[in-house]
Amino acid sequence: MRGCGTDDGCGCESPGLTRFEDALENLLSYAEKVTATVTVPLNQALGKVLAEDQCSVVNVPPNDNSAMDGYGVNVADLVGGDRCQLSISQRVPAGADPQPLKPGTAARIFTGAKIPEGCNAVIKQEDCEALGGVVDLPTAVKDGQNIRLLGQDIEAGAVIMAAGTRLQPHHLGVLASVGIAEVAIYQPLKIAVLSTGDELVEPGDELAPGQIYNSNRYTLTGLVQGLGMELVDLGIVADTAEATEEALLRAASEADVIVSSGGVSVGEEDHIKGAVEKLGSLNLWRMAIKPGKPFAYGNVQGKPFLGLPGNPAAVLVSFNILARPYLLKMQGADEIFPISYRAPIILNRKAQIRKEFMRARMVQEQGQVRIEPYSNQSSGVLSSAVWANGYAIIPANTEINEGLEVEFVSFAEVMS
Ligand code: AMP
Ligand code: MG
């Protein structure tokens, strides 16, 4: 890992701080993909990661079908002037198996209905006039008009989805469209969430002087569930070595990965470091990022441990930029990073040694997109995230002048 590891006088860009990119690379190098798979019905597969490539055994659509409500004809029968009349020989609603088209006739047909043999075009009903058993039709009709061809969406034998795909609603729709009822997914990771801090009280309880409500628990459990992973919610952990060790041991026995908030500094009231070192091993990184400077990675009895900071906005950011890609890689997902956009930012400031992830709002006005950072970027100010709709990534050691294009990640990209 780059970085000098000292706090003084070395002349490097971020003395004593680990570069974010190095920490992320290092962290991801430890992420071991789960091997266990489980087969689940489609309605339990949302947000899970496919463990096997999926192939279609059918054509979609399975036969030529009508794209319109109208009349099915053979264009060779449309003779005469601008219009001609044909008798209506059958009615073909969606779901019916039609007779071959009688030569010299038309079939009343509806959207999605199977095209009768011998029919090679559908004329939309707005262009036709039916009178009793006869229909008046235009003659300028192209062969194949308004017919959706067999296999135009998916051909039998095609690979429709690769292992590693995180299943979103449209993936489930495509799997259903080829008749797949259940899929093999990687066994969802069980993630233990611990909220450390003697000052914490659960919402619904009275706040005594000096106490605050536990918000990290809800941010973190929501983020974990958004990733389609299983939650082992261990609630509040008191700031003592015993309580911290006990909670970590329970987490290690019940979960695949342990995520904690708070207690990762090195004050007397911070017990994560000592407890994790006692039960496994720990790397404590002071990263050149804002917010989220302290971040711990290690293991407790062999189970990966991610120690997030305590400050609520730092929890949100550090989960999204570090824990999320790590967990998705473990889960077998092929896309572990969000898509980012670039747009001009409304910000002027001097270069800073830490890369900053600013809660910000991407706005569009009169066709112009711009990024507006929230006024208070303190790592304790979580309400900033409600005002914001994503985060802007401000590079380290770079002076920012209004209008400079920076990267922006929408919350929509990382909250699920
Ligand atoms: P710590 O790293 O434990 O010193 O916590 C840093 C800051 O985050 C302190 O102001 C804590 O009170 C606050 N904090 C820690 N955990 C939580 C939590 N679960 N919910 C809200 N704030 C917290
Ligand atoms: Mg604390």
Side-chain angles (χ1 to χ4, degrees), residues 150-233:
L150 173 149
Q152 72 163 24
D153 181 353
I154 294 165
E155 281 182 23
V159 175
I160 52 167
M161 237 167 266
T165 303
R166 269 184 84 213
L167 297 169
Q168 300 301 317
H170 55 287
H171 296 113
L172 300 182
V174 171
L175 290 165
S177 79
V178 301
I180 290 175
E182 50 180 37
V183 282
I185 56 163
Y186 289 112
Q187 178 82 53
L189 290 169
K190 288 197 188 100
I191 315 293
V193 173
L194 282 65
S195 314
T196 75
D198 277 344
E199 71 278 37
L200 303 178
V201 169
E202 286 300 323
D205 291 344
E206 285 280 310
L207 274 187
Q211 295 182 320
I212 60 166
Y213 286 118
N214 181 4
S215 61
N216 292 345
R217 179 183 184 185
Y218 299 88
T219 306
L220 286 174
T221 55
L223 286 164
V224 165
Q225 287 171 311
L227 292 179
M229 297 170 188
E230 282 176 27
L231 191 62
V232 179
D233 182 359

Side-chain angles (χ1 to χ4, degrees), residues 126-155:
E126 293 85 338
D127 296 341
C128 308
E129 198 172 343
L131 295 158
V134 174
V135 61
D136 181 70
L137 305 158
T139 52
V141 176
K142 283 197 200 116
D143 191 335
Q145 181 172 305
N146 294 324
I147 292 181
R148 303 191 288 214
L149 295 177
L150 173 149
Q152 72 163 24
D153 181 353
I154 294 165
E155 281 182 23

Side-chain angles (χ1 to χ4, degrees), residues 358-362 384-385 387-392 408-412:
M358 291 184 132
R359 277 85 71 209
R361 191 186 252 182
M362 185 177 253
S384 57
W387 181 89
N389 57 14
Y391 53 85
F408 178 88
V409 173
S410 163
F411 283 153

